[in-house]
Amino acid sequence: MISYQQNIIIYLLAFCSGFCIMGIELLGGRILAPFFGSSVHIWGSIITVFMLSLSFGYLLGGKYSTRHVNLTRYGVIFLLAGLAILPIALWAPAIMESIFIAIEDSRYGSLLASIALFFIPTIILGMISPYSVRLLVTDKNNSGHVAGKLYFVSTLGSALGTILTSFYFVLLFEVNAIVLTFCAILTALGIVAISIDRIKAVAPSTALEAGHE
């Protein structure tokens, strides 16, 4: 059974993932603006890509959680998300420039650029919520309550990520620095989850050895 402390950690990780998702989505407008502007159809492209990729992420996360559920596999999702975000900071201008040259209509250019930059990372981030629910649910009769709390915590993280990114981060830091920070946060969270699982696996054997002594 997952301990109370581990439950708190899972909720905290879900909170942080919601924070990062909305932070990256808000930065999408800033990232695309130099090439495609900041009109309503730019935001339409960004929101469409994020909603679509999150929906695929929920499906994949649910499928991923059907076997061998543990914190190590959970942590891998965070590590992959951090790695997938990295190209946004490294190659976004080159990717957008090539799309801008190839496609004259900014509507379709911004849509394609949003797909190229955000589709894969957001799919991976979308996998976190269903896997979190699977880790937390130990009684099917309590699954609805657990899912409600999880999505409440995750949405609070999204709200905080929205307000902090839009009110403060974009005024104080460069966009690439913020993206790299999100990358580092997700990577660190993945390492934390995997480390906890390793400690959990080592603890019983250590206790058994102490008992024999």
Side-chain angles (χ1 to χ4, degrees), residues 36-103:
F36 303 102
S38 56
S39 60
V40 67
H41 63 260
I42 304 301
W43 280 106
S45 297
I46 294 169
I47 293 170
T48 298
V49 169
F50 269 80
M51 296 302 292
L52 185 62
S53 52
L54 282 173
S55 67
F56 282 117
Y58 297 149
L59 284 174
L60 291 175
K63 182 67 174 178
Y64 185 62
S65 69
T66 57
R67 59 176 66 185
H68 308 303
V69 180
N70 54 57
L71 284 172
T72 295
R73 286 166 63 85
Y74 187 54
V76 168
I77 301 175
F78 284 88
L79 293 178
L80 290 175
L83 183 63
I85 290 169
L86 193 56
I88 298 174
L90 298 179
W91 303 312
I95 292 170
M96 289 187 294
E97 183 177 4
S98 62
I99 294 172
F100 178 76
I101 293 172
I103 302 177

Side-chain angles (χ1 to χ4, degrees), residues 18-19 30 36 42 65 71 85 87 104 111 118 124 137 148 150-151 153 160 183 189 203 210 213:
F19 185 101
R30 280 291 187 94
F36 303 102
I42 304 301
S65 69
L71 284 172
I85 290 169
E104 294 183 1
L111 180 60
F118 307 120
I124 299 172
V137 171
L150 188 282
Y151 285 110
V153 169
L160 186 61
C183 176
L189 293 174
E213 293 177 1

